[in-house]
Amino acid sequence: MGHSLELNTPFATVGAYLAEPAGQPKGGLVVIQEIFGVNTHIRNVADRYAGAGYTAIAPAFFDPIEFGVELGYDEPGFARGRELVAKLGLDRAVEIVAAAAKAVATAGKTGTVGYCWGGTVALLAAQRLGLPSVSYYGARNAPFLDQPAKAPVMFHFGEKDPSIPPEVVAQHREKLPQMEVYTYPASHAFNRDVDPKAYHAASAQKAWERTLAFFDKHLAPT
């Protein structure tokens, strides 16, 4: 369904995977990866949003450091992913989101959806860029919860996620009471359907339904 293109950012040319819907798009979506790059799973996620009517673009955030990164869900993959996100930094990540959003602007209103590390980038996109965003299990969100959001945000968390304890989830509700915060009987990365250790089908499906309703409300033409 999708194809590759290049994005121009202030500091580097960044590749991206673009998936387009069959008909008139409801809007644009920037799909923000986990720490594993734009791998098969992330491309499939973008394809699924395109199937739901959105022009979905998944930037390869690590391209400024190492081109074409696709990591596995093993210890070497986790270690390399953590190294790459530390080198990239969140400020450059937000600039890449801005470039990706510009690339799909002809689709209509644009939002973001991010997973894990990408969940925190999605929160920052709402705060800094004014893009309606859905944040899945953003374990790095807490330091940014006191910053005002310029657009609505929806949060999804697993109740069994060891990296995001209940008190941190509670902080989202306390500090951003106008935003939707949902929890599920699952662990971290419950949407990652290629990883049987993490995936929780019922939670992923419910979060998907809520996410589409959010984007249909905030992006799709009335």
Side-chain angles (χ1 to χ4, degrees), residues 64-206:
I65 303 163
E66 180 180 329
F67 182 77
V69 173
E70 295 189 36
L71 302 173
Y73 306 114
D74 52 12
E75 280 306 315
F78 277 93
R80 182 61 176 150
R82 293 188 188 103
E83 179 184 346
L84 288 167
V85 297
K87 286 183 177 180
L88 179 68
L90 290 169
D91 291 342
R92 285 200 291 178
V94 173
E95 290 188 78
I96 292 171
V97 172
K102 183 178 179 180
V104 296
T106 57
K109 293 182 181 179
T110 301
T112 84
V113 57
Y115 303 86
C116 186
W117 171 79
T120 296
V121 179
L123 169 61
L124 294 177
Q127 293 171 326
R128 300 180 186 181
L129 304 176
L131 300 178
S133 297
V134 176
S135 171
Y136 277 75
Y137 32 82
R140 298 166 175 82
N141 291 358
F144 305 104
L145 295 179
D146 290 319
Q147 298 181 14
K150 299 177 182 178
V153 188
M154 174 182 283
F155 297 97
H156 301 299
F157 296 106
E159 295 163 1
K160 303 174 185 178
D161 188 339
S163 65
I164 309 173
E167 57 268 27
V168 173
V169 176
Q171 288 176 20
H172 288 71
R173 293 191 171 104
E174 293 162 5
K175 296 186 176 185
L176 296 171
Q178 72 276 32
M179 306 304 180
E180 297 174 86
V181 180
Y182 296 105
T183 62
Y184 304 85
S187 189
H188 191 74
F190 61 79
N191 188 68
R192 192 193 297 151
D193 56 6
V194 296
D195 183 357
K197 293 183 292 184
Y199 182 54
H200 191 267
S203 299
Q205 179 61 29
K206 189 63 177 178

